[in-house]
Amino acid sequence: AVDGLPPSDLVYPFLFLSSYGGVDLIISTARISTFVIDRFAPISLWRTVFEYITQHMVGRRISLQWEGAVHASFLPSASLSKNASLVAMQRGVDWYIHSGVLPNMNRTLTLSRLRQQSSGGVLNPLYLPPQERSGNGLVGVLEGFSSTIGPNGTQPYSPNLRNDCITETGMAFAFRSTSSASTPTSTSPMYSQIAHNLLDYAWVRGGYPQTWVPGVGDAMGDAMGLLAWSSTSAAMQEYYTDDNARSLLAGLA
């Protein structure tokens, strides 16, 4: 294993040789037929495994090549265009729209019902069906995806609404709206509006201002502008300076 193995008494074989009815068999202790969508990695090592299996089956070595379901846009040796950084930023922001992390009203209602049934309004990562239409930032942006990869290659959403995630996403959409000047598009106002909606949700409508801090509602008070890291009830009793800093930096940008 790339990252090492646990103690030997906890290690079990993934593949082993056996025979049945005079036929030599390779038996797998896990499903490997969906290795592409399951994103088996590193590909170079898994290629060795599958080449060994095919050699056992056909009696000769066959060189196997495939491209992972998720992969880099360019090879390490590729020459990039002058606007590669700009295009990467634009594609990165567009990912928010296509990935489903911008909840629409239907998804927001679904998650609200689940939060009412949870402890303190905090939800563990969960699988969500695709949205027919992306949201526009009026109800924030989800925290992101869990690193868990399901049997079909999907990843569960981390569905909580965090102040720092929302404001930093708003910053990204603001940059995306201005970058369209070099590549004219009618969608530039859309990016600008999403940025506005996200920042407005985090700073005004989302319930993040820490009402327990004296003076938080006073425009001249020392605590004016302090935000909870999340809109959950527990977050109203906690204060993280880095979250507030990122929220402010997003607004300044």
Side-chain angles (χ1 to χ4, degrees), residues 20-145:
Y20 181 79
V23 178
D24 292 333
L25 302 174
I26 296 180
I27 299 178
S28 173
T29 58
R31 186 176 72 173
I32 59 176
S33 59
T34 55
F35 63 94
V36 175
I37 63 172
D38 286 354
R39 295 184 242 169
F40 283 16
I43 289 180
S44 59
L45 297 182
W46 278 105
R47 184 178 296 119
T48 301
V49 173
F50 284 105
E51 287 180 350
Y52 172 81
I53 294 174
T54 54
Q55 182 177 358
H56 181 85
M57 294 171 60
V58 300
R60 61 185 177 86
R61 182 179 179 84
I62 298 177
S63 178
L64 301 176
Q65 298 290 334
W66 70 86
E67 189 175 74
V70 177
H71 55 83
S73 297
F74 303 97
L75 295 173
S77 59
S79 298
L80 303 183
S81 61
K82 292 183 179 180
N83 69 337
S85 295
L86 173 63
V87 172
M89 183 273 290
Q90 293 174 334
R91 289 177 59 192
V93 175
D94 290 348
W95 172 87
Y96 285 93
I97 297 174
H98 304 307
S99 64
V101 294
L102 284 171
N104 56 27
M105 290 302 175
N106 289 335
R107 174 157 292 180
T108 298
L109 289 174
T110 298
L111 294 175
S112 295
R113 296 187 187 100
L114 293 174
R115 289 191 182 96
Q116 291 176 355
Q117 303 167 12
S118 66
S119 176
V122 179
L123 294 177
N124 293 322
L126 73 164
Y127 291 97
L128 296 171
Q131 294 187 128
E132 291 185 3
R133 293 186 60 184
S134 172
N136 59 2
L138 280 174
V139 285
V141 62
L142 305 185
E143 184 177 4
F145 286 89

Side-chain angles (χ1 to χ4, degrees), residues 209-218 222-224 226-227 236 238-239:
Q210 301 215 32
T211 55
W212 61 271
V213 180
V216 74
D218 181 2
D222 293 338
M224 180 62 183
L226 297 186
L227 303 173
M236 292 301 166
E238 301 166 337
Y239 172 61

